[in-house]
């Protein structure tokens, strides 16, 4: 793997994705914007309007709220993502629990202005990634430490056209902070074959960090057939984030003429250089429905379509305009479908459940162990308890099961020599996760 490819992998992992090996929607999206939604696998979110959190999914749902509403909560993500494999040199490529646990907080507020106008605000996270491998991991150039934290600040407004139609629009400001580290792994032991001193497995060959703001917008429509049946259509725009980051490597500059043959990036001798990367977070469409089919029962459903085909390449440039890398990603558009039901037991208790399927946008030949994306199945359940007409709490739990996938990266020098042709490192990845959420809601 040459300098350009390693920088591409580093920038992708850092700029693209807070939990995609533990990002809990396909690609590197996060769905965890509310605990009440978690309990129904986020089915019907664009048509619910039962808490202030709905406004961050479809701003038109604010028209369902007759009083100021406030919601605050968090979702705790407990992933179990493991990597297995063996290099041509016989070194283990196994790594367990590469995705650390994470808290994803959220806060929402909706204020009616009159019978026709509403305003709202929220703070959530829509994208993220975190993976961690030991510093001495044999496959260090592909799996080190990757961490991206994003925050989406949203301001929105809604307008009721008539008793059936309402519309809404919002503005998004997305802050992203990224950091990535990669180490030399077993490749450090092969350097003497080229007349270079051996390097310890934990030698840092890449360090990248940066932070930036990006901006976008969202809009929605709500159609109320009657008080028991409604449909929602929402749209979230593409967000462009122009990362300006710092890159460094502990590899001596003298290694550069030969180091590339061993899959090493160009060394900077520990010095820091600047680089720029533009990342386009894709647009998303979602259609939702809600139907109260009996006095105590309702069903709700959603289908979301994310235009991941907008994410076709990664291109980074240096401070002098030179191309640091170009990498073909070739993501394809993907969808998410969810179905759920709610049971209104009495004035205090509501119970809900849901199931969902996330389609992965990552082609099989583009996977990496820092982002071992896979199709996912959700099974969810939750409940709400209303203390009175003003205050309530929500809790939700979801189990997420991912497919077992094969990941091929870089070039394994021993396997290549044995096979007489370029042979990549081969890994298998398996993952599952438990999500737990709780929130508090208050109507003023």
């Amino acid at each position: 793997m040459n300098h350009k490819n390693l920088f591409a992998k580093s920038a992708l992992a850092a700029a693209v994705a807070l939990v995609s090996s533990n990002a809990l929607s396909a690609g590197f999206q996060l769905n965890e914007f509310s605990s009440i939604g978690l309990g129904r696998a986020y089915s019907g979110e664009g048509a619910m309007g039962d808490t202030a959190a709905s406004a961050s999914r479809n701003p038109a749902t604010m028209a369902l709220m007759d009083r100021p509403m406030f919601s605050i909560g968090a979702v705790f993500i407990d992933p179990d993502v493991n990597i297995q494999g063996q290099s041509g040199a016989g070194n283990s490529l196994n790594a367990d629990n590469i995705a650390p646990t994470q808290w994803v907080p959220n806060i929402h507020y909706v204020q009616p202005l009159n019978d026709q106008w509403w305003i709202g605000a929220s703070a959530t996270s829509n994208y993220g990634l975190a993976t961690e491998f030991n510093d001495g991991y044999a496959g260090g150039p592909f799996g080190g430490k990757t961490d991206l934290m994003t925050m989406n600040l949203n301001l929105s407004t809604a307008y009721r056209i008539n008793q059936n139609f309402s519309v809404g629009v919002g503005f998004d400001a997305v802050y992203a902070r990224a950091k990535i580290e990669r180490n030399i792994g077993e490749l450090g032991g092969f350097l003497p074959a080229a007349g270079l001193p051996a390097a310890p497995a934990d030698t840092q060959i890449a360090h990248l960090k940066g932070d930036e703001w990006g901006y976008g917008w969202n809009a929605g429509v709500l159609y109320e057939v009657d008080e028991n049946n409604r449909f929602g259509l929402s749209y979230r725009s593409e967000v462009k984030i122009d990362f300006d980051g710092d890159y460094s490597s502990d590899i001596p500059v003298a290694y550069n003429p030969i180091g590339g043959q061993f899959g090493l990036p160009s060394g900077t001798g520990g010095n820091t250089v600047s680089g720029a990367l533009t990342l386009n977070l894709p647009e998303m469409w979602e259609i939702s429905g809600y139907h109260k089919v009996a006095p105590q029962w309702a069903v709700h459903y959603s289908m979301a379509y994310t235009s991941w085909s907008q994410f076709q390449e990664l291109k980074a440039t240096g401070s002098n305009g030179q191309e640091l890398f170009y990498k073909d990603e070739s993501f394809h558009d993907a969808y998410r479908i969810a179905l759920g039901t709610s049971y209104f037991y009495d004035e205090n208790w509501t119970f809900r459940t849901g199931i969902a399927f996330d389609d992965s946008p990552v082609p099989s030949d583009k996977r990496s162990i820092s982002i071992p994306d896979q199709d996912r199945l959700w099974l969810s359940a939750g409940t709400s308890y209303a203390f009175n007409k003003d205050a309530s709490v929500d809790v939700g739990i979801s189990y997420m099961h991912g497919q077992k996938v094969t990941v091929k990266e870089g070039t394994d020098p021993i396997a290549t020599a044995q096979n007489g042709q370029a042979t990549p490192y081969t890994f298998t990845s398996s993952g599952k996760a438990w999500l737990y959420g709780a929130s508090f809601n208050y109507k003023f």
Side-chain angles (χ1 to χ4, degrees):
M1 181 170 60
N2 59 29
H3 170 47
K4 294 182 179 181
N5 286 337
L6 180 62
F7 198 100
K9 287 289 185 185
S10 301
L12 171 63
V16 159
L18 201 147
V19 196
S20 179
S21 58
N22 59 332
L24 297 173
S25 180
F28 46 84
Q29 286 178 312
L30 291 173
N31 265 311
E32 291 69 40
F33 71 96
S34 77
S35 299
I36 192 170
L38 179 67
R40 54 188 175 229
Y42 298 102
S43 59
E45 292 304 316
M48 298 302 292
D50 45 4
T51 70
S54 292
S56 66
R57 197 68 165 229
N58 180 359
T61 59
M62 290 189 288
L64 299 171
M65 305 172 194
D66 58 359
R67 289 195 288 165
M69 298 181 68
F70 171 78
S71 179
I72 186 170
V75 175
F76 178 72
I77 303 172
D78 184 14
D80 182 13
V81 182
N82 305 308
I83 301 293
Q84 298 86 33
Q86 181 173 298
S87 71
N91 292 318
S92 173
L93 299 175
N94 295 349
D96 295 332
N97 297 317
I98 66 169
T101 58
Q102 289 285 354
W103 285 96
V104 182
N106 60 84
I107 185 170
H108 312 268
Y109 180 74
V110 172
Q111 174 69 54
L113 300 179
N114 52 43
D115 291 340
Q116 286 188 291
W117 285 98
W118 292 257
I119 57 173
S122 67
T124 59
S125 181
N126 292 333
Y127 295 92
L129 169 74
T131 53
E132 294 182 1
F133 292 77
N134 294 330
D135 290 346
Y137 181 61
F142 319 108
K145 292 181 175 64
T146 305
D147 187 16
L148 176 94
M149 181 175 67
T150 66
M151 176 176 60
N152 188 326
L153 302 178
N154 175 262
L155 292 175
S156 55
T157 185
Y159 175 73
R160 178 174 286 281
I161 300 173
N162 54 42
Q163 69 178 33
N164 300 112
F165 282 99
S166 301
V167 296
V169 65
F171 169 76
D172 293 302
V174 180
Y175 173 74
R177 185 179 67 194
K179 179 181 179 180
I180 181 143
E181 297 176 354
R182 293 290 183 266
N183 301 304
I184 198 168
E186 71 170 15
L187 294 178
F190 300 141
L191 295 180
L196 300 175
D202 61 356
T203 301
Q204 192 172 93
I205 60 174
H207 176 86
L208 176 71
K209 65 178 181 178
D211 62 279
E212 195 53 75
W213 286 89
Y215 305 95
W217 61 280
N218 62 93
V221 178
L222 181 70
Y223 175 62
E224 299 171 72
V225 180
D226 52 41
E227 64 179 6
N228 294 322
N229 299 276
R230 51 185 178 265
F231 300 93
L233 174 65
S234 59
Y235 171 80
R236 186 172 297 277
S237 77
E238 179 183 35
V239 175
K240 179 185 290 187
I241 297 181
D242 295 318
F243 275 97
D244 292 316
D246 297 323
Y247 173 81
S248 65
S249 170
D250 288 341
I251 299 174
V253 176
Y255 281 30
N256 289 340
I258 299 176
Q261 301 176 21
F262 292 86
L264 300 179
S266 293
T268 65
N271 295 319
T272 299
V273 299
S274 61
L277 170 75
T278 296
L279 178 69
N280 296 316
L281 303 179
E283 65 183 7
M284 184 181 78
W285 293 86
E286 185 174 32
I287 185 169
S288 306
Y290 171 88
H291 307 283
K292 194 170 185 180
V293 296
Q296 291 182 283
W297 285 99
V299 295
H300 27 83
Y301 48 87
S302 296
M303 184 176 76
Y305 185 84
T306 304
S307 298
W308 283 110
S309 59
Q310 295 172 336
F311 185 58
Q312 288 295 300
E313 64 180 23
L314 282 170
K315 183 178 181 180
T317 57
S319 57
N320 296 324
Q322 72 274 28
E323 182 179 294
L324 295 175
F325 75 84
Y326 174 86
K327 184 174 184 297
D328 177 27
E329 294 299 338
S330 298
F331 276 27
H332 56 74
D333 294 346
Y335 63 90
R336 182 182 194 274
I337 55 175
L339 174 66
T341 184
S342 295
Y343 176 62
F344 308 100
Y345 179 73
D346 57 24
E347 292 184 353
N348 301 104
W349 288 98
T350 300
F351 300 93
R352 57 187 63 87
T353 187
I355 185 171
F357 175 77
D358 267 331
D359 174 40
S360 172
V362 183
S364 60
D365 60 342
K366 304 296 181 182
R367 296 189 185 108
S368 69
I369 60 171
S370 60
I371 310 178
D373 195 57
Q374 54 202 247
D375 294 341
R376 299 174 176 88
L377 177 69
W378 294 59
L379 298 173
S380 304
T383 187
S384 295
Y385 179 76
F387 300 100
N388 49 49
K389 293 183 178 181
D390 300 326
S392 64
V393 293
D394 310 312
V395 294
I397 183 172
S398 287
Y399 171 73
M400 188 179 304
H401 183 79
Q403 292 181 332
K404 190 172 185 178
V405 295
T406 299
V407 181
K408 295 184 178 182
E409 290 194 81
T411 301
D412 185 325
I414 300 300
T416 295
Q418 293 173 343
N419 298 331
Q421 59 182 0
T423 303
Y425 284 90
T426 300
F427 312 82
T428 59
S429 171
S430 58
K432 59 184 179 181
W434 285 94
L435 295 80
Y436 310 91
S439 60
F440 173 75
N441 312 294
Y442 192 81
K443 297 181 181 179
F444 298 91

